[in-house]
């Protein structure tokens, strides 16, 4: 078991567009309504390569490995990366309560506990203006919510130097 980190920074209106945040699913039939057909076409075209966070956290594992911001064998190391992400963006959080250091430390501690038993973590914060920051840690090989999803990085990439380190890239 290991953990992949993902981060996204973008316009809230993009984040709110559910059709690009869901995998395609079952193809529509000839009698499907036009909006169902349109959503399916958009999902097929956009979901696989979009860096916008998926609706379900485990669906990050369906994305290309280039979207992985870090990989860690240990939950505490993944939690450290999460802490860096939160600390980097906290001064820009729209809510003063969300910027509180103690609250952020509690979030990181809870995330490490969740990762330890194989859960996933997904956090999002509004920043000043209309910007949204999302960060996720996804347990891999296997994922509890989606054990059928293979590791997007493949086992060879996991052993490369530098895959365990943190990055400040959103």
């Amino acid at each position: 078991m290991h953990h992949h980190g993902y981060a996204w920074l973008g316009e809230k209106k993009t984040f709110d567009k559910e059709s690009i945040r869901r995998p395609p699913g079952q193809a529509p039939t000839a009698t499907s309504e036009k909006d169902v057909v349109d959503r399916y076409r958009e999902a097929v075209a956009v979901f696989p390569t979009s860096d916008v966070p998926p609706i379900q956290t485990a669906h990050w594992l369906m994305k290309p490995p280039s979207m992985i911001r870090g990989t860690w064998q240990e939950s505490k190391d993944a939690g450290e990366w999460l802490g860096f992400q939160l600390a980097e963006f906290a001064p820009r959080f729209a809510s003063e309560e969300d910027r509180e250091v103690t609250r952020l430390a509690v979030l990181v501690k809870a995330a490490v506990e969740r990762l330890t038993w194989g859960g996933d973590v997904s956090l999002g914060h509004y920043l000043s203006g209309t910007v949204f920051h999302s960060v996720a840690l996804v347990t891999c090989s296997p994922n509890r919510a989606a054990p059928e999803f293979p590791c997007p990085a493949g086992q060879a990439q996991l052993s490369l130097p530098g895959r365990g380190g943190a990055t400040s890239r959103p």
Side-chain angles (χ1 to χ4, degrees):
M1 183 171 75
H2 57 274
H3 315 283
H4 295 301
Y6 298 88
W8 180 79
L9 182 67
E11 287 293 319
K12 180 66 170 92
K13 66 181 177 183
T14 302
F15 183 80
D16 287 343
K17 193 168 185 178
E18 286 192 27
S19 62
I20 63 173
R21 297 182 59 213
R22 294 183 187 278
Q26 186 175 352
T29 64
T31 59
S32 295
E33 294 183 23
K34 182 183 179 327
D35 65 327
V36 172
V37 172
D38 291 346
R39 190 206 90 59
Y40 180 79
R41 285 184 180 149
E42 184 172 31
V44 166
V46 178
F47 179 82
T49 58
S50 170
D51 66 345
V52 179
I55 297 285
Q56 293 182 28
T57 305
H59 286 170
W60 273 116
L61 299 176
M62 298 170 78
K63 303 287 188 165
S66 60
M67 293 185 190
I68 298 170
R69 302 293 185 244
T71 297
W72 304 271
Q73 297 295 325
E74 299 295 327
S75 302
K76 64 180 175 53
D77 295 332
E80 184 178 324
W81 176 80
L82 176 65
F84 286 132
Q85 287 290 306
L86 294 174
E88 180 179 349
F89 287 92
R92 296 173 53 195
F93 289 171
S95 166
E96 189 174 322
E97 183 179 292
D98 286 343
R99 288 183 236 132
E100 191 176 294
V101 174
T102 303
R103 183 178 190 285
L104 296 173
V106 168
L107 283 174
V108 170
K109 183 178 183 214
V112 170
E113 290 174 13
R114 185 178 203 73
L115 293 171
T116 300
W117 57 261
D120 298 328
V121 176
S122 185
L123 300 172
H125 295 91
Y126 289 97
L127 304 184
S128 305
T130 60
V131 178
F132 191 77
H133 176 246
S134 173
V135 63
L137 289 165
V138 184
T139 300
C140 190
S141 295
N143 181 278
R144 287 175 71 103
E148 69 279 10
F149 291 171
C151 178
Q155 294 303 314
Q157 254 190 328
L158 293 177
S159 62
L160 290 175
R163 289 302 295 170
T167 178
S168 61
R169 199 169 65 164

